[in-house]
Amino acid sequence: MTPTILIVGATGNTGQAVVETLPKLLQSSDTLSEYRIIALTRSLKSPVAQRLAKLPRVEVIEQNWVEITPDWLREHQVTRAFIASHNEPNQFAEESTFHVAALNAGVKYVVRISTTAANVRPDCLAYYPRSHWAIEALLSSPEFSNLQWTSLQPNLFTSFALSSAVELIKEYRKTGKQGTLRLMASKDAPVGVIDASEVGLFAARLLSQEDIVVHNKAKYVLNGPEDITGDQIVDLVEQYIGTQVEHVSYQDLSFLDSVYEHKFAPTGQSKNVILSIKHAVESAWEGKCTASTTSKAVLELAPPKITVAEALKGLLEE
């Protein structure tokens, strides 16, 4: 059977770009030109899954990735893999199970999505960056020496940073009325937010490298091409609505209370754990997540180009 590159989270923020970019990169490779791509989805009927299925050398499979076993990986001849896991409290248990399966199945290389580099440490007050730190520690252990890996530590995605701005602009266009612009960003701290597609593009570049040894155990920091502040986001919104934004709430994380009540409380998840997510943006408010922290390898292989203004325009056209 043909050797395979597995894409876990193929229809997600970063996974789509991985699947879209890989075919052309493989085609031009001297050693990987025969590889095929398996893209996992939760529903073959979804528009994204159906679109990806039309790409050359891509097979879309309906498979829950948390149920993948070493036998499944061997059966599908998986030699390289990309994984963008969820960030819920059981992330470590489920993602580590995938990596153990990959190790035992003889998978050669895994590219995984981590989170903001400044937060990936054992004492982070937010829970999910600690899970990413633990996964990276697990992969760094001697027991995993046969599995090569790279961990990508992207900054906040533009779609998340701009979601309230998009909502206000669309509502104003529709009704002529404004609500409060609630921004996670602080008024003045510069942050190098990045478009998710550019993270996927870089991941695809890594997966198509003929020599992966140089990237083994690497932790690459990814930011967009420029910094932006909350005040500058307000300026962008005002350009679209043609008037002054009436009410702005900076460093506003009130939406997380609603997320907890509607998504996690009914399942009995710890409120203390879930709402610790509010601490994740503190590193950005402290100025620790600027574009200047981008790793050299990122700038050499696939330098991010999408500006915040371009990202906002794209989100408004969706």
Side-chain angles (χ1 to χ4, degrees), residues 151-229:
S151 195
L152 308 187
Q153 300 177 334
N155 206 335
L156 180 69
F157 292 155
T158 51
S159 57
F160 201 34
L162 298 173
S163 60
S164 59
V166 171
E167 183 180 347
L168 187 144
I169 293 169
K170 288 184 175 180
E171 182 63 23
Y172 186 81
R173 286 174 169 176
K174 182 179 179 180
T175 67
K177 298 179 180 179
Q178 295 185 36
T180 299
L181 178 58
R182 302 183 183 278
L183 297 175
M184 288 184 290
S186 71
K187 181 179 174 62
D188 301 313
V191 183
V193 294
I194 185 168
D195 195 89
S197 67
E198 301 209 283
V199 179
L201 173 60
F202 180 65
R205 289 282 183 185
L206 291 176
L207 290 164
S208 64
Q209 294 295 297
E210 296 181 12
D211 179 14
I212 55 177
V213 175
V214 67
H215 302 291
N216 185 30
K217 296 183 172 63
K219 304 170 188 176
Y220 292 137
V221 179
L222 295 97
N223 301 286
E226 62 180 5
D227 292 323
I228 195 164
T229 65

Side-chain angles (χ1 to χ4, degrees), residues 3 6 23 51 64 85 109 163 165 196 236 250 265 274 298:
L6 174 67
R51 174 170 55 81
N64 187 346
S85 176
Y109 182 49
S163 60
L236 286 174
Y250 295 104
I274 299 301
V298 177

